[in-house]
Amino acid sequence: MSSKLYAHRILILDFGSQYTQLIARRVREAQVYCEIHPFNMTPGEVREFAPSGLILSGGPSSIYDRGAPMADKAVLEMGVPVLGICYGMQYLTHVLGGGVAGAADREYGNAEVIVEDDLDLFHGFPKGSAELVWMSHGDRIERMPDGFEALAGSRNSPVAAMADRNRGFFGVQFHPEVAHTPNGTRILKNFLFRVCGCEPSWTMASFVRATVSELRERIGRERVICGLSGGVDSTVTAVLLHEAIGRNLSCIFVDNGLLRRGEALEVSELFQEYYRTDFHQVDAADHFLSRLRGVTDPEEKRKIIGREFIHVFEAKAREIGGVKYLAQGTLYPDVIESVSFKGPSATIKSHHNVGGLPEIMNLELIEPLRELFKDEVRQVGVELGVPREMVRRQPFPGPGLAVRILGEVTPERLEILRHADAIVQEEVIVAGYYEKAWQSFAVLLPVQSVGVMGDERTYEHVIAVRSVDSLDAMTADWTRLPYEVLSRISNRIINSVRGVNRVVYDISSKPPGTIEWE
Ligand code: XMP
């Protein structure tokens, strides 16, 4: 792993908090490498990770719950500084012999703590200052373990922060990682830089350097194939590999006929003409469309597309021949989702379109982005000189426009959707919403409605426009696009897309709605 090249590394032990990923984001933003692992990581594994500091996350349990997550106490005895957050602090208190008790009231939301110390953790905070913090806990510290002193207190939690400087142990009852704790980042940085002695060396420039040399060493003169989708993750994966091994990377781009307008051309221009990779485009639109003929069930569509993709991709890979590795754009959130908290045994999520290929073809996987968050991947793209339009691209589902045409996918209906979708894209970009929104697109509904154009009565298709704001696609809310933008989108679609006489805007959030309509 390239991360081994970073001398300063923070280990986050996950006790199940909804904010654990945010802790990791904040640490990375401070340019310190970190990883999240389950709370029950063994002392041997912790030693091997060789952390400069340990952060114990919050979690939904009470320390007295049956089956409450407990880390092995030996990880606290390695001389590594520790910061316990919320449940992490209560765990620390409990195992070190202090007392944790149920608070009179559950404290949830904003609270004020008075900072009583300005050394390491609260360096730069005037003594006696009131700090706004985010609390979310039932239990609280009643008696600190021997050797600890209080650093801050609130009305409900007299010990809102504590430290045993001799052993390098710190605890905060509140959540410094969330935006509702305005100075939380300063507290985390104080822990990283003043307590753990980390240096801010995790930058995407250093990641690229380290990863490129590591990829060269691992791959040698072997051949790697990489499937391109036009999305950010596969683009950056391929460019990174191209940087490392040049023509020993073969890129395969399957045009399944379900792409947006102009997308196939953009991909081929970038990889064939700009990067001059060993680029193989398979024009399989007719093949996919004939398999999709008459199919209306969303899951059936997904299955057919996934299966055909593997067939086409595999045939091309065999034709190229002599391939040892398959490169994939797996990101860190996918990795954490599958291993964190529930423990390493939880099933790994299957990825996008490459299904069982590695097994079928006996290929080894290369996942150079598996340590990165999405915004870090975009920065890597910038670092590698990938054009901004590619780096900033919104996510697009593997099954493409097929899941945005409700009902049967036909060439005519694809053409209508493509045209309407291109208008949505253009207007959202011009209005400055493209990079703010998570996704913005058009959906073709399987209904016709009555309208009037000129003196004629019409009976034509309906386009739904969907634009959502989201951080991770797990939850989403509809984008508050200005009326003028919606109006321009609607007018342009109705005036120029033949066969459409009505446009509606989807104002459902997720949950209960999903982002895609199918
Ligand atoms: P939903 O519709 O479940 O989508 O709210 C969440 C995110 O995942 C994308 N998505 C897919 N991506 N293959 C993909 O690669 C798929 O089958 C698929 N279905 C949904 C969707 O665009 C959104 O970003």
Side-chain angles (χ1 to χ4, degrees), residues 53-56 72-85 88-89 91-97 120-122 144-151 159 161-172 191 195-196:
L54 208 59
I55 298 179
L56 312 176
D72 191 323
K73 196 179 165 194
V75 304
L76 303 177
E77 291 159 1
M78 297 177 180
V80 175
V82 178
L83 172 65
I85 296 176
M89 178 199 204
Y91 157 79
L92 205 57
T93 304
H94 182 69
V95 290
L96 297 175
D120 31 38
L121 201 62
F122 290 99
M144 288 180 283
D146 289 344
F148 276 80
E149 58 181 307
L151 307 183
V159 185
M162 64 179 194
D164 174 350
R165 294 204 165 88
N166 285 334
R167 289 187 283 180
F169 291 159
F170 293 80
V172 288
F191 177 70
V195 177
C196 303

Side-chain angles (χ1 to χ4, degrees), residues 65 90 100 161 194 266 291 315 346 374 379 405 411 476 496 500 517:
D65 285 348
Q90 290 154 13
V100 177
R194 295 185 176 272
E266 276 175 43
R291 294 288 189 281
K374 189 87 174 183
Q379 283 172 41
I405 293 178
S496 60
V500 175
W517 275 50

Side-chain angles (χ1 to χ4, degrees), residues 282-499:
V282 188
D283 293 311
D286 292 345
H287 179 85
F288 277 82
L289 289 186
S290 69
R291 294 288 189 281
L292 286 169
R293 197 169 296 138
V295 179
T296 55
D297 178 67
E299 276 315 298
E300 192 60 22
K301 285 183 190 172
R302 273 205 170 73
K303 275 191 200 130
I304 292 171
I305 295 165
R307 202 169 52 224
E308 292 311 312
F309 179 86
I310 291 182
H311 283 162
V312 173
F313 192 90
E314 192 197 354
K316 193 72 199 172
R318 286 200 197 284
E319 192 186 306
I320 293 168
V323 179
K324 179 160 182 201
Y325 298 103
L326 173 73
Q328 230 176 258
T330 311
L331 304 196
Y332 196 46
D334 300 326
V335 177
I336 313 174
E337 223 169 85
S338 51
V339 298
S340 111
F341 193 55
K342 286 162 243 151
S345 62
T347 41
I348 309 269
K349 198 164 116 183
S350 62
H351 286 290
H352 309 300
N353 297 316
V354 281
L357 259 186
E359 295 82 42
I360 298 170
M361 295 195 59
N362 203 14
L363 297 174
E364 282 179 42
L365 267 186
I366 289 190
E367 298 173 311
L369 308 180
R370 60 178 283 123
E371 293 164 350
L372 305 189
F373 288 100
K374 189 87 174 183
D375 55 324
E376 291 176 320
V377 172
R378 295 193 206 273
Q379 283 172 41
V380 168
V382 170
E383 207 59 54
L384 290 163
V386 177
R388 187 179 171 86
E389 313 83 76
M390 276 284 186
V391 169
R392 290 284 145 203
R393 190 164 266 185
Q394 294 178 346
F396 186 65
L401 299 181
V403 290
R404 293 179 181 171
I405 293 178
L406 278 66
E408 190 183 359
V409 180
T410 63
E412 299 73 35
R413 304 186 79 209
L414 266 168
E415 205 29 59
I416 291 175
L417 180 60
R418 239 183 227 123
H419 190 173
D421 183 68
I423 292 171
V424 174
Q425 295 291 297
E426 281 168 24
E427 293 298 336
V428 168
I429 291 172
V430 168
Y433 276 79
Y434 186 79
E435 290 183 19
K436 286 186 225 158
W438 175 263
Q439 274 171 305
S440 323
F441 54 89
V443 180
L444 179 60
L445 304 191
V447 287
Q448 283 176 283
S449 79
V450 173
V452 55
M453 271 193 199
D455 294 332
E456 302 260 335
R457 176 185 177 280
T458 58
Y459 186 57
E460 293 181 323
H461 295 293
V462 182
I463 285 284
V465 175
R466 178 92 162 132
S467 180
V468 294
D469 299 334
S470 175
L471 287 176
D472 53 10
M474 303 296 284
T475 60
D477 198 7
W478 54 281
T479 310
R480 269 43 173 189
L481 286 177
Y483 285 165
E484 311 84 73
V485 179
L486 290 171
S487 166
R488 262 198 310 277
I489 290 174
S490 164
N491 286 341
R492 278 191 63 195
I493 292 178
I494 293 171
N495 287 338
S496 60
V497 182
R498 300 263 310 253

Side-chain angles (χ1 to χ4, degrees), residues 123-172:
H123 178 87
F125 290 76
K127 257 190 192 175
S129 65
E131 281 298 319
L132 199 61
V133 300
W134 184 258
M135 294 277 194
S136 168
H137 65 109
D139 295 352
R140 68 173 192 197
I141 311 305
E142 197 170 61
R143 183 169 41 80
M144 288 180 283
D146 289 344
F148 276 80
E149 58 181 307
L151 307 183
S154 76
R155 207 150 47 89
N156 261 322
S157 306
V159 185
M162 64 179 194
D164 174 350
R165 294 204 165 88
N166 285 334
R167 289 187 283 180
F169 291 159
F170 293 80
V172 288

